[in-house]
Amino acid sequence: MSALHEFDLIFFGATGDLALRKLLPALYYAFRDNGQPAGWRILGLARRPLSRDEYLAMLGDSCRRFIPATDLDDATWGQFCARIDYLPVDGTDPAGFAALTGWFEHCAGRVRVFYLSTAARLFGPICEGLARHGLVTPLTRVVLEKPLGHDYASSEAINAAVGAIFAENQIFRIDHYLGKEPVQNLLALRFGNSIFEPLWNRGSVRDVQITIAEQVGVEGRGEYYDPSGALRDMVQSHMLQLLCILAMEPPTSIDADAVRDEKLKVLRALRPINAANVKEKTVRGQYRAGAVAGKPVPGYLEEPGIPPDSRTETYVAIKAEIDNWRWSGVPFFLRTGKRLPERMAEIVVNFRPVPHAILPPSPAAGEPNRLVIRLQPDEGVKLFLLVKVPGEGMKVKPVALDLDFAETFKHRQWEAYERLLTEVIQGNLTLFMRRDELAAAWRWIDPILDGWRALDEPPKPYTAGTWGPAAASALILRDGLALREEA
């Protein structure tokens, strides 16, 4: 990790689940691996009237649950906590910002990062409060957690409010999937290896499948999840970002705007899905009671905080198409859902079969080569090739060339937020969404939502612990293909 010597990192929403479970543990690892630098200052802000010691006790309890005991060194933890302060501040109360000014005395020349882990409706007021009290400097950066709005109009309103205070190169719109090691390896795989580029097009690729499957339900987050649903929560951000990295043209460099320019072109080339074709191109589902990992689980409508007549989708499958020369005619199947049989995120690139079969007919002989990029839980890359089974005849079977990251690289893998926080502090915007990217994503998503409303149909039920509604399989079967469901 590059040295991170001096900065101030201020968390709004410091008592929330994200800060305690992900952000502060990620900072602990960064602190440990940077040699416990003395120039770090971390400030937690939240409405809860806690003393600094009370907050550190809360943080300690949380980190002991989410950091393995073998990684928690008492001396290092003590040094880390010495860099942390806490102030009870309400982001909607001007008096709270006044209390902040004293904390920044004599620190005008340091990198200053405000991480807004709050409801998105507070992003504008918080930024305005920071500016009003003189807390924004040329070295200040602001991090915005998703979701940034619930549609194009609300997203633009938030971006306009934040953009009135901060320049675009000071705004870091975070999507934690972009910090995952296999997502970084997508860039290396595509643009660091000459063998793939000649095949990365409609002539060689038959179809692409992107899956993000969760075993969990709403996990007590019903009040947040129900107004959002799977399309807003997962597709608009994580899945479209994966699609962009997978499908974009080679950028001129790895610089932030060069990469984001190419991602934007993909979003703008997505074929519209609207009321005219939404039933043909999408499937939405909602889980019913069932069993996951051998344990009974309630249906979505029985979850706490969910209205008994909710039509919110917990599963969505989409056939996306990109109207450009590279990908014309190649379907990109996106699917994500809760209460599925396993927790996994992966990308499958299915290549076209050989143009003329010379091997004896068999089920395996007709299987195409495929590249499987596993993002979680076991990060790695597999390239499936057909090879001859030892023995008489020409019986073949698919065998994987397997790159297991944990096995290949013996050191600890960075967590996504560890990388992203490091990139923010260093001012690198490559892994963050630009405003026009976000706008283009919402412009594609909004007509799907409008189309569903026009259909006025409830989501299709599926039993918890299965791979979603049968209609999702039919969506891809219409192209003579099948979804990959094995581990």
Side-chain angles (χ1 to χ4, degrees), residues 1 18 21-23 25-27 29-30 115 145 174-184 238 343 375-376 379 412-424 431-432:
M1 176 183 290
L18 178 64
R21 181 168 55 92
K22 291 290 187 181
L23 302 179
L27 272 180
Y29 278 116
Y115 197 116
E145 264 291 343
I174 204 162
D175 181 338
H176 75 271
Y177 260 71
L178 296 184
K180 289 180 175 290
E181 195 69 48
V183 177
Q184 303 297 293
H238 304 331
R343 170 182 173 265
L375 307 180
Q376 65 181 27
E379 301 177 347
R412 182 186 67 85
Q413 298 289 319
W414 282 18
E415 293 293 331
Y417 279 106
E418 187 178 348
R419 170 177 286 101
L420 293 172
L421 286 168
T422 300
E423 297 291 302
V424 173
L431 302 183
F432 302 87

Side-chain angles (χ1 to χ4, degrees), residues 340-403:
L340 299 184
E342 63 175 293
R343 170 182 173 265
M344 65 99 155
E346 72 172 18
I347 298 165
V348 180
V349 180
N350 287 310
F351 294 95
R352 296 191 184 279
V354 294
H356 175 63
I358 65 169
L359 300 177
S362 72
E367 286 198 23
N369 302 130
R370 69 179 185 267
L371 180 68
V372 179
I373 302 158
R374 180 62 69 102
L375 307 180
Q376 65 181 27
D378 304 315
E379 301 177 347
V381 177
K382 292 181 180 180
L383 178 61
F384 287 85
L385 306 173
L386 286 183
V387 300
K388 179 184 176 297
V389 177
E392 185 179 352
M394 282 299 293
K395 183 180 180 181
V396 296
K397 66 175 290 186
V399 175
L401 301 178
D402 190 355
L403 170 60

Side-chain angles (χ1 to χ4, degrees), residues 177 210-214 234-235 237-240 242 315-316 334-338 340 342-346 375-376 467:
Y177 260 71
I210 303 176
T211 300
I212 301 178
E214 300 179 280
M234 298 297 288
V235 178
S237 53
H238 304 331
M239 302 198 83
L240 285 186
L242 293 177
Y315 177 99
V316 62
L334 315 179
R335 62 169 173 167
T336 183
K338 291 186 175 295
L340 299 184
E342 63 175 293
R343 170 182 173 265
M344 65 99 155
E346 72 172 18
L375 307 180
Q376 65 181 27
W467 280 105

Side-chain angles (χ1 to χ4, degrees), residues 173-248:
R173 300 173 187 86
I174 204 162
D175 181 338
H176 75 271
Y177 260 71
L178 296 184
K180 289 180 175 290
E181 195 69 48
V183 177
Q184 303 297 293
N185 262 301
L186 265 179
L187 293 169
L189 187 77
R190 282 206 56 198
F191 305 124
N193 298 284
S194 61
I195 63 171
F196 287 112
E197 179 57 27
L199 306 177
W200 216 258
N201 56 58
R202 64 186 302 271
S204 298
V205 175
R206 186 190 68 183
D207 68 277
V208 178
Q209 301 176 21
I210 303 176
T211 300
I212 301 178
E214 300 179 280
Q215 288 185 314
V216 298
V218 294
E219 298 291 282
R221 298 165 63 242
E223 291 184 2
Y224 158 76
Y225 188 85
D226 196 65
S228 300
L231 186 71
R232 291 186 178 97
D233 187 48
M234 298 297 288
V235 178
Q236 184 273 331
S237 53
H238 304 331
M239 302 198 83
L240 285 186
Q241 285 296 307
L242 293 177
L243 172 66
C244 286
I245 294 174
L246 195 71
M248 71 182 185

Side-chain angles (χ1 to χ4, degrees), residues 102-121:
W103 198 82
F104 288 106
E105 284 183 348
H106 314 301
C107 297
R110 291 165 59 94
V111 169
R112 186 178 297 178
V113 177
F114 292 101
Y115 197 116
L116 309 189
S117 180
T118 67
R121 67 178 184 277

Side-chain angles (χ1 to χ4, degrees), residues 5-190:
H5 295 299
E6 291 193 351
F7 61 86
D8 294 336
L9 182 51
I10 303 92
F11 292 106
F12 282 85
T15 58
D17 178 70
L18 178 64
L20 295 175
R21 181 168 55 92
K22 291 290 187 181
L23 302 179
L24 273 304
L27 272 180
Y28 165 77
Y29 278 116
F31 178 81
R32 185 194 69 175
D33 295 344
N34 270 270
Q36 306 176 37
W40 293 27
R41 296 204 314 164
I42 302 165
L43 176 62
L45 304 175
R47 289 179 294 181
R48 295 179 65 171
L50 302 174
S51 68
R52 176 178 179 272
D53 289 342
E54 289 172 328
Y55 179 70
L56 290 178
M58 176 189 292
L59 177 61
D61 290 342
S62 178
C63 286
R64 276 187 285 273
R65 291 199 306 273
F66 298 111
I67 299 176
T70 52
D71 289 345
L72 263 179
D73 173 74
D74 288 342
T76 304
W77 178 255
Q79 288 295 316
F80 178 60
C81 288
R83 309 295 166 203
I84 300 174
D85 202 354
Y86 178 83
L87 289 175
V89 168
D90 184 341
T92 63
D93 182 2
F97 292 99
L100 270 179
T101 56
W103 198 82
F104 288 106
E105 284 183 348
H106 314 301
C107 297
R110 291 165 59 94
V111 169
R112 186 178 297 178
V113 177
F114 292 101
Y115 197 116
L116 309 189
S117 180
T118 67
R121 67 178 184 277
L122 300 179
F123 291 174
I126 288 174
C127 292
E128 291 165 7
L130 294 174
R132 193 179 305 116
H133 289 84
L135 299 174
V136 178
T137 72
L139 292 176
T140 298
R141 292 147 199 170
V142 63
V143 182
L144 307 180
E145 264 291 343
K146 81 172 191 71
L148 268 79
H150 60 273
D151 57 14
Y152 171 76
S154 58
S155 174
E156 280 294 284
I158 293 169
N159 277 309
V162 175
I165 307 300
F166 292 94
E168 181 63 27
N169 64 3
Q170 294 177 291
I171 302 172
F172 292 73
R173 300 173 187 86
I174 204 162
D175 181 338
H176 75 271
Y177 260 71
L178 296 184
K180 289 180 175 290
E181 195 69 48
V183 177
Q184 303 297 293
N185 262 301
L186 265 179
L187 293 169
L189 187 77
R190 282 206 56 198

